[in-house]
Structure formats: C-alpha cells, structure tokens
Amino acid sequence: MLSLCFLVSFSQTSKTKIEMIAANWNVTEEATFEKFDNRETLLLKRGRITVKNQKFINGSIEVDVYANTVRSFAGITFRKNDNTMEEVYMRLHKTNQADAVQYTPIFNNESNWQLYREHQANVLFKNKGWNALRIEINNDQAEVFVNNEKVMTISNLRTDNTSGEIGLFALFSNRFSNFRITPKESSKESEKVRETPTDLNIIRQWKITEAKLFNRQRLNFKDFLKEKYITVTTEKSGLLPISKYIKKASSGNFEQNTEDYTIAFTNISSEKEETKLFSFDYSDTILVYLNGKIIFEGKNGFRTKGVQYMGHLDINTNTLYLPLKKGNNTIHCVVIDKANGWGLMAKLQ
C-alpha cells in the first residue's frame, strides 16, 4: 500500500513532454507538424489546438515559441471546457511594450483582454531562436514566466473552470516546440477569497437580455419593457464581463464579428426628487436611457480613438448627473460589442 501511494504521488508531479506529432493532438486544418531547427514543431496559423485525452487541474505548462517580429500571438490555453477557458499569450511583435504578454479569460469563445488591463506585462523577447513560456497554476491563481523570468501574477483566474483541456493558441502564424506539463497537488495557500465590494456605491447586480445582432434603426424603448432578463452579478471592481453570461450571435472571429448588443437594466429608488452622480465605463459602444429617454451615447472600442487606443475600462471615466424623480427610476444601457471584451461597470452616488 505504501509503495502504491508513492507511485501515485510521483506520477502527479512528474514532467510529461507532449511530442509535436499529429497523433497527440486534436488536429485542425490550421495546424502543420514538421521538423524545424532540429526539433519536432507545430506551425499553427490561427485558432486553438488541444492535447488528446488530457485534463489539467493544477501544475505547470511550458512551451517554446520561435521568435517572430511580425504581428502575431502565441500562447497557452488551459482548463478549457467547450468554449470557455483561461489563456495566456505572448505578442512577440510587441517586445518591450506594456502589453507584450496578456492574460484573458475566454467566455463563450470571446477574448476579453480589453477588460483586464491589470493582466498585461512589459517583456523583452528574444528576436532570434526560441522564447520559453511557462505558467504555474494553483487553484484560482497563476504565475507567468518568459525565459525563466516571472513577468505576471494572476491573483484571480476569471472563469469558474477548475479543470479542463490544455493546448495552444495562435493568431497570424506561430511555431511551437517542446510542450511540457507537470501536474501538481494544489496548495491550500491559494484558497479562493470571497469577493466583497470595496466601494458600496458600485452597482453590483444588473438584469440583462440575451444577445442580439445590433441594428440601431430597430431599437425601440417600448420593446425593452417586453424583453426577458436574467440577473447577473459583477466582479469586485464592478466589472460585468457580459460574455460570461450570454453567448453572442457572432463570436470567435475578433474584428470580423458582427456587432451584438444586450440591454442591461437596473432600478433606482428615490425618496424625493434629487440629482445623483452616475459614473460608468463600457466596451465597445453604449446608449444610456434614464426613465425611457436617451441621455448618453459613446464609443470606447479598441482603436476607436486612435491606432494606439486600447479601450480599457475605468469606472470613473464617464460621469452623468441624473435628475431622479421621486419613486422608481430606471436605467437601461444598450451595450454593443464586436470583439476584445464586452463589458459594463457603474456606480451611483
């Protein structure tokens, strides 16, 4: 019995190399396995490819990526279940820039990097040879290493997935080699901390509709009142990652997506006529209605205000003074998105 326990423990902490041959992977038409630089490699043009018959909970995942100076993305996908997963990737053309490495949760096949500006890192990549990417995952936390230097700590992995498939992600072609996994037991030090709001003025719950293709000419406020809504809760910061809760009609194709929208609704009860400050941010586009009348329109998508404009969210970016009537007041936000993160956050004070 003691011998058996030892063997089980050893297998859970031993490093396994997944060879770059088609038999080990759930192959897509975008993947080519070939010899390069005296290595077995995978050339992935775009999309994701997963390891066959492999579920991952905690431990380390490592891969080498060949240097690339043209615009491209190369990374690791883990805890993948259907179209929701965690993802960390290198943007090799962004060497020595603030967003060279990014983490994003993928909700319903949609990337959300625009919503998580805190999970980006400035990294100087090698411009020749291989760059090593390693992720150490422990429950809801992760540490990211590039060429054996820690570049990012993720204190709260955003999906609710605790296990799932592992694999690789690429956009605009990248070459991978030497893929390794080391499963490990979880550490109790990484127990998930219950989130509590730091600002009591944050709107923590919204009611939202299903996603629909956006057509401005067909919007009619009277139709908003007939919609079916589900109640959803924001993150600690007040951020509502909309794709976590509803699936887009068009998804997974980045800027080639069509525009989808949802209606986010909340009630405000006031004991008297008064004015309150409504602070908010959103992605990509918004129409705000107070008591059925439109009071704000704005755009905050990636590159909408210049080539380098990221469209990150900050709850204090936009402010409106709301003239509230005595009794019940309603706010309806039509939030429209194409790609990179569908989000809303707001507070009232």
Side-chain angles (χ1 to χ4, degrees), residues 38 71 200 209 242 255 271 281 331:
N38 294 318
R71 185 173 184 242
L200 297 179
T209 66
I242 296 170
E255 279 84 7
E271 295 180 354
D281 210 355
I331 294 178

Side-chain angles (χ1 to χ4, degrees), residues 42-296:
L42 161 66
L43 180 64
L44 187 60
K45 293 181 181 178
R46 63 173 292 140
R48 299 180 180 91
I49 185 170
T50 55
V51 179
K52 285 183 177 179
N53 304 316
Q54 183 70 56
K55 295 290 185 180
F56 180 87
I57 301 174
N58 288 313
S60 66
I61 310 172
E62 306 170 70
V63 72
D64 296 341
V65 181
Y66 199 71
N68 193 347
T69 57
V70 300
R71 185 173 184 242
S72 62
F73 303 71
I76 292 171
T77 294
F78 59 100
R79 292 181 180 167
K80 180 180 186 296
N81 287 289
D82 298 322
N83 288 319
T84 293
M85 67 209 80
E86 312 283 1
E87 199 158 79
V88 174
Y89 52 89
M90 300 185 293
R91 307 171 77 201
L92 295 170
H93 61 294
K94 287 275 194 173
T95 185
N96 206 26
Q97 296 187 39
D99 53 352
V101 171
Q102 293 179 323
Y103 156 73
T104 180
I106 307 295
F107 296 125
N108 284 309
N109 210 30
E110 280 293 290
S111 173
N112 292 275
W113 64 263
Q114 193 176 334
L115 308 183
Y116 299 101
R117 68 191 306 168
E118 67 272 27
H119 293 316
Q120 301 185 127
N122 186 322
V123 177
L124 182 64
F125 300 119
K126 298 176 184 178
N127 58 15
K128 293 182 180 179
W130 298 88
N131 287 280
L133 174 64
R134 183 173 91 249
I135 312 172
E136 299 280 352
I137 300 113
N138 185 33
N139 296 338
D140 65 317
Q141 300 177 9
E143 293 180 329
V144 180
F145 299 79
V146 174
N147 297 325
N148 292 319
E149 291 190 14
K150 185 162 75 171
V151 299
M152 183 189 300
T153 298
I154 306 164
S155 59
N156 184 9
L157 293 167
R158 302 294 170 153
T159 78
D160 296 324
N161 295 351
T162 56
S163 67
E165 294 181 283
I166 55 172
L168 297 168
F169 161 73
L171 188 61
F172 309 124
S173 289
N174 268 294
R175 188 179 296 277
F176 301 87
S177 178
N178 202 20
F179 186 84
R180 293 144 289 158
I181 57 173
T182 308
K184 296 178 183 177
E185 296 287 350
S186 65
S187 167
K188 291 183 179 180
E189 294 178 1
S190 181
E191 296 286 339
K192 196 172 185 71
V193 177
R194 183 178 178 85
E195 288 192 338
T196 55
T198 54
D199 186 340
L200 297 179
N201 296 310
I202 287 174
I203 298 174
R204 292 279 289 167
Q205 284 194 333
W206 293 88
K207 296 181 184 296
I208 62 174
T209 66
E210 66 179 2
K212 295 181 180 180
L213 293 177
F214 179 66
N215 184 328
R216 176 64 186 271
Q217 294 180 341
R218 293 183 180 178
L219 279 185
N220 185 329
F221 181 77
K222 291 181 179 179
D223 294 334
F224 297 3
L225 307 179
K226 303 173 186 176
E227 292 280 359
K228 293 182 179 179
Y229 292 83
I230 61 170
T231 301
V232 294
T233 302
T234 72
E235 296 181 359
K236 178 181 177 180
S237 64
L239 173 66
L240 180 65
I242 296 170
S243 288
K244 182 175 183 177
Y245 297 103
I246 55 176
K247 184 178 180 179
K248 285 184 172 183
S250 171
S251 65
N253 292 309
F254 299 97
E255 279 84 7
Q256 281 69 54
N257 290 343
T258 56
E259 286 187 317
D260 282 61
Y261 79 96
T262 185
I263 304 165
F265 157 72
T266 189
N267 281 306
I268 304 170
S269 181
S270 181
E271 295 180 354
K272 60 182 180 180
E273 288 188 2
E274 60 181 332
T275 299
K276 286 197 172 184
L277 180 64
F278 181 62
S279 305
F280 64 102
D281 210 355
Y282 57 91
S283 175
D284 288 336
T285 303
I286 199 169
L287 308 172
V288 181
Y289 294 75
L290 174 64
N291 296 327
K293 295 182 179 180
I294 191 164
I295 59 171
F296 180 87

